[in-house]
Amino acid sequence: MDFSAFDTVQFNAAYMESIFLNLITNSIKYVIPQHYPVIYVRTKLIDGARQLIFSDEGIGFNLEAVKDRVFGLNQTFHNHIDAKGIGLYLVHSQITSLGGNITLDSKPNQGATFVLTFR
């Protein structure tokens, strides 16, 4: 973890807890088999906007295949017994409902990076 860019953000505490829980749980759940989960959480300031960046080294996504569905309700992209298609939907709903946004960069077997921008 690296919170050196900032250590606080004005945001709903329950939503923030849910966001951390969902993203960290997904990083653990979708680890590459036979590997340990590697998770990075850091902050960044870009043009005055506060960003919270979650990265992992897990199985990732084929973004061409999932396109705009990745944050949709009941959308699953991996055959995991606990996949329900709710976690990323909640994260997206929580961040956008309070004026922020979320982006995803990912490639199969190269992990995923979620950038949450708070306005």
Side-chain angles (χ1 to χ4, degrees):
M1 288 190 219
D2 177 2
F3 298 111
S4 60
F6 60 90
D7 59 4
T8 61
V9 64
Q10 294 293 321
F11 198 72
N12 180 290
Y15 281 6
M16 186 66 79
E17 181 178 344
S18 174
I19 288 167
F20 266 82
L21 180 64
N22 277 298
L23 292 177
I24 291 172
T25 300
N26 279 357
S27 292
I28 295 168
K29 188 186 311 182
Y30 299 109
V31 66
I32 293 174
Q34 311 306 317
H35 287 79
Y36 291 104
V38 177
I39 305 166
Y40 305 96
V41 182
R42 64 187 176 99
T43 56
K44 190 174 183 180
L45 285 172
I46 300 290
D47 297 327
R50 292 175 183 232
Q51 292 184 331
L52 184 60
I53 303 165
F54 287 84
S55 298
D56 65 42
E57 295 179 2
I59 61 175
F61 295 89
N62 177 344
L63 290 181
E64 287 185 27
V66 301
K67 298 189 181 184
D68 297 330
R69 298 179 301 131
V70 72
F71 296 115
L73 181 60
N74 297 321
Q75 298 294 313
T76 58
F77 309 105
H78 302 291
N79 294 327
H80 191 282
I81 192 167
D82 292 327
K84 306 235 183 331
I86 297 172
L88 293 180
Y89 170 79
L90 285 175
V91 170
H92 181 266
S93 296
Q94 291 165 336
I95 189 77
T96 59
S97 71
L98 296 177
N101 70 353
I102 182 170
T103 60
L104 168 63
D105 184 34
S106 183
K107 291 182 181 165
N109 295 313
Q110 294 183 20
T113 298
F114 294 90
V115 178
L116 290 77
T117 303
F118 301 89
R119 303 268 177 219

